[in-house]
């Protein structure tokens, strides 16, 4: 095939050039691999965050090391409405321009294409002044948002390697956002439970495995059970052994129902209650017991 | 209860079923009243239709907008009816395509009238060129394949490519971007990359990977081949305008890629390559058999037949077969070869769904007149082919929306001048 020969010059100069190019490529590859291996290390502690902005800011810094974008923005999925909302735009002055461009891309279907494609999608802005790089933020289970980078038209295009690195950074970012979101849901779930317990008219307490009161709702305080105290200090002497016995059952994972117990009131008098208890473990060593105490 | 396409959904309508995206995320609930925001959400997630309360309209496309004058709509309707004459009008997918194509054409006619142009010029066919003398006998496809077929290209692509390759800051992506826009260069590049010289264990079927393998330096020699530039200059304009051929190929490639993305098929770029190359056989016919080609078009146009269906009689073989054989001879990937080979007969392909995507993409590009490779009528789309895709017909409206935007952009960026 004559074309093949023409395509591959064989002079010494060409071979030297090719060798230099390959050496350069090998050096670059090592750099890139090192960078790729650290791209997932977020310095932000995810389980202490209240909103993911810090993660997004860190991601923009990481991306900035790879590619020069005139502006970068993150649209995150609002889990209630499934809409994409602008969560971060840097610098802020591009905000209106990006919102308008994104609305245009939503209307012409390119945004939906970028949501489906798990790689960068490059389009030109409406005024043809910029190139917009769209990349979905998606984990294996869910789409979390969209990254939009703005490049001036004169800026050189992204190489295949940079595109892949961008995908890696954004994949890590999506995973971090998902972790954050799951932690937030855990915390929210926890808060919701205690708020619900707080609102109940019946006394509800949560005990540690040693009987320390970890939580007591308002109704429980009428039984003199308060957070920070211990259950045993409020149990009448003749009920102590019964309480110890059901706590042992709970430690074995067995719920306990309909146990008649006498508590002491503030004056030292007896308050008869019927106790229902359910154990649960936050870890192998941490036992919690949730109790409802119904006045007899 | 009725199913309406996205374009027909309006704020205030009430949903009669949950709307989920393709991964099962619940976007809107049954009973929700549509708002501007909920319509935005549907567009974001690529939802193409929804069920709303009210009578079933029987089709999913929108009604005639007020801004389209009745006479232009009628003219567009008549034209679409003629162009779809070989398709089964009772099929839902053909109904949808016809409705969308009619509205699309009527809108273009309205816009043309608004700027003082003649809207009927869009539907008036160019005169059929009379062939000189009798038609030569059909040829054997192997005769064509025996020669090392040289392909041509668009000069502007070469200039752009040389510019990119000579720029020290340019990257493989820049090169790929330029090459992806040239039918001939894609073919040549893949041919080189898949030649024994590179000893690749796996066939390369995407442009970006090809550029990585070949290296941009080698592309210079490909691009600088003067013979390439000259080779297509010989194709008479009455057979095909290279600009139209180009636009048709780009549209087919893009439509195939979009449809593949709806099917969540990975590596969608290879569909773009297949789309760009799908009519390469026809280009060779025009170049090497111009007299036959003139007779081919004369017969097809004057008898209102589909060009592809006349090819066997007049040329001796069809363009899809020739294209497939060429790609095979150039040792291109099997999937690429088969997708080109069977884009008119997907049922015979080893991977039916992939070939069906190519077929639907080609029909779509023809139906909406995104350029042309010589076909004036809409090729046949069968129920079986469409059903292979397992997509709702309302997807087509979204595909056309994106083609309108992206094909024009690429054609503009390419500065294609024929």
């Amino acid at each position: 095939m004559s074309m093949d020969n023409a395509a591959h010059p064989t002079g010494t100069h060409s071979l030297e050039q090719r060798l230099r190019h390959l050496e350069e490529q090998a050096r670059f590859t090592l750099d890139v691999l090192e960078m790729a291996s650290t791209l997932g290390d977020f310095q932000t502690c995810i389980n202490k965050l209240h909103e993911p902005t810090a993660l997004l800011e860190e991601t923009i810094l990481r991306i900035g090391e790879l590619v020069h974008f005139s502006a970068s923005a993150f649209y995150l999925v609002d889990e209630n409405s499934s809409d994409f909302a602008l969560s971060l735009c840097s610098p802020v002055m591009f905000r209106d321009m990006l919102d308008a461009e994104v609305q245009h891309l939503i209307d012409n279907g390119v945004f939906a294409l970028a949501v489906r494609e798990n790689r960068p999608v490059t389009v030109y802005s409406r005024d043809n002044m910029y190139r917009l790089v769209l990349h979905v933020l998606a984990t294996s289970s869910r789409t979390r948002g969209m990254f939009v980078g703005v490049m001036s038209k004169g800026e050189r295009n992204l190489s295949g390697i940079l595109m892949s690195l961008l995908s890696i950074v954004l994949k890590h970012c999506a995973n971090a956002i998902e972790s954050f979101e799951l932690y937030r849901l855990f915390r929210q779930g926890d808060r919701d439970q205690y708020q619900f317990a707080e609102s109940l008219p019946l006394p509800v307490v949560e005990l540690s495995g040693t009987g320390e009161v970890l939580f007591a709702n308002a109704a429980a305080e009428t039984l003199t059970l308060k957070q920070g105290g211990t259950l045993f200090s409020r149990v009448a002497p003749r009920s102590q052994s019964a309480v110890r016995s059901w706590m042992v059952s709970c430690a074995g994972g067995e719920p306990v129902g309909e146990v008649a117990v006498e508590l002491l009131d503030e004056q030292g008098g007896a308050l008869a209650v019927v106790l229902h208890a359910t154990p649960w473990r936050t870890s192998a060593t941490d036992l919690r017991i949730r109790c409802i105490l119904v006045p007899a | 209860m009725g199913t309406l396409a996205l374009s027909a959904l309006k704020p205030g309508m009430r949903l009669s079923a949950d709307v989920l995206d393709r991964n099962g995320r619940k976007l809107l609930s049954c009973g929700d009243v549509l708002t501007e925001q909920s319509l935005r959400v549907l567009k974001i997630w690529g939802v193409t239709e929804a069920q709303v309360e009210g009578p079933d309209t029987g089709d999913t496309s929108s009604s005639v907008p007020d801004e389209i004058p009745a006479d232009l709509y009628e003219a567009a309707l008549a034209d679409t009816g003629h162009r779809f004459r070989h398709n089964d009008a009772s099929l839902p997918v053909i109904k949808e395509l016809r409705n969308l194509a009619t509205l699309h054409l009527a809108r273009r006619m309205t816009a043309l009238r608004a700027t003082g142009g003649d809207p009927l010029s869009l539907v008036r066919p160019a005169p059929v060129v009379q062939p000189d003398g009798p038609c030569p006998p059909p040829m054997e496809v192997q005769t064509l394949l025996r020669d090392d077929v040289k392909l041509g290209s668009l000069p502007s692509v070469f200039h752009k490519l040389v510019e990119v390759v000579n720029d020290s800051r340019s990257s493989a992506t820049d090169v790929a971007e330029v090459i992806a826009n040239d039918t001939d260069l894609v073919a040549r590049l893949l041919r080189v990359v898949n030649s024994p010289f590179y000893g690749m264990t796996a066939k390369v079927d995407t442009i970006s990977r090809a550029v990585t393998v070949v290296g941009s330096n080698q592309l210079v020699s490909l691009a600088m081949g003067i013979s390439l530039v000259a080779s297509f200059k010989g194709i008479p304009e009455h057979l095909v305008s290279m600009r139209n051929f180009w636009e048709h190929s780009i549209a087919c490639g893009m439509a195939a890629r979009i449809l593949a993305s709806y099917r969540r098929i990975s590596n969608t770029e290879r569909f773009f390559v297949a789309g760009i190359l799908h009519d390469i056989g026809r280009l060779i016919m025009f170049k090497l058999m111009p007299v036959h080609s003139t007779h081919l078009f004369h017969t097809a146009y004057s008898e209102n037949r589909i060009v592809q269906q006349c090819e066997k009689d007049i040329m001796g073989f069809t363009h899809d077969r020739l294209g497939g054989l060429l790609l095979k001879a150039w040792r291109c990937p099997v999937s690429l070869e088969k997708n080109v080979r069977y884009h008119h007969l997907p049922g015979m392909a080893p991977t039916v769904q992939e070939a069906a995507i190519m077929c639907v993409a080609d029909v779509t590009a023809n139906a909406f007149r995104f350029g042309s490779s010589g076909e004036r009528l809409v090729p046949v789309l069968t129920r079986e082919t469409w059903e292979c895709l397992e997509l709702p017909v309302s997807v087509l409206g979204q595909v056309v929306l994106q083609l309108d935007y992206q094909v024009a952009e690429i054609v503009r960026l390419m500065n294609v001048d024929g």
Side-chain angles (χ1 to χ4, degrees), chain A residues 24-34 161:
Chain A
E24 194 57 34
Q25 200 68 28
R27 240 161 45 88
F28 181 58
T29 307
L30 282 176
D31 266 5
V32 160
L33 283 175
E34 192 177 317
I161 291 176

Side-chain angles (χ1 to χ4, degrees), chain A residues 1-4 6-9 17-18 75 77-85 99 102-113 115-117 119-125 128 131 142-144 153-160 163, chain B residues 21-23 25-28 37 40-41 43-46 148 150 169-174 177 188 191-192 195-198 213-215 217-218 221-222 228 257-258 261-262 264 267-269 329-331 398 401-402 405-406 409 412-413:
Chain A
M1 236 182 264
S2 59
M3 273 311 302
D4 289 351
H8 310 109
Q17 269 192 336
R18 181 136 190 82
Y75 285 78
V77 177
D78 176 337
E79 292 294 333
N80 294 319
S81 65
S82 296
D83 199 354
F84 278 61
D99 257 344
V102 165
Q103 183 59 49
H104 177 63
L105 295 173
I106 289 172
D107 287 338
N108 64 25
V110 173
F111 197 88
L113 180 74
V115 169
R116 291 194 298 273
E117 298 262 330
R119 58 177 172 175
V121 171
T122 308
V123 290
Y124 285 81
S125 61
N128 204 23
R131 253 187 310 213
R142 214 156 169 82
T143 300
R144 294 284 163 191
K153 210 179 159 191
E155 193 77 26
R156 70 192 173 111
N157 221 335
L158 295 182
S159 72
M163 289 270 201
Chain B
D21 83 335
R22 294 196 65 80
N23 290 332
R25 178 195 284 261
K26 186 170 174 182
L27 303 175
L28 300 171
Q37 193 199 18
R40 174 182 147 104
V41 167
K43 287 180 192 166
I44 283 175
W45 294 95
D148 186 18
K150 293 271 192 291
R169 296 177 312 144
S170 69
S171 67
T173 316
D174 291 303
E177 195 174 90
R188 191 164 287 275
R191 182 180 168 196
V192 171
S195 66
F197 179 85
Y198 285 93
V213 173
V214 176
N217 287 341
Q218 275 80 355
S221 37
L222 287 174
L228 292 183
R257 186 177 170 185
I258 296 166
S261 83
Y262 272 107
R264 294 241 159 219
N267 198 5
T268 53
E269 200 180 340
W330 296 339
R331 290 189 280 275
Q398 294 304 303
L401 193 65
Q402 290 180 50
Y405 174 68
Q406 296 191 49
E409 184 174 76
R412 176 176 62 81
L413 291 173

Side-chain angles (χ1 to χ4, degrees), chain B residues 79 103 106 134 138 209 243 260 262-263 337 346 352 354 371 384 400 402:
Chain B
D79 178 73
L103 281 176
R209 223 185 131 215
R243 190 188 195 286
Y262 272 107
R263 287 296 318 139
E337 171 208 331
V352 178
E354 292 197 359
E384 293 73 24
V400 173
Q402 290 180 50

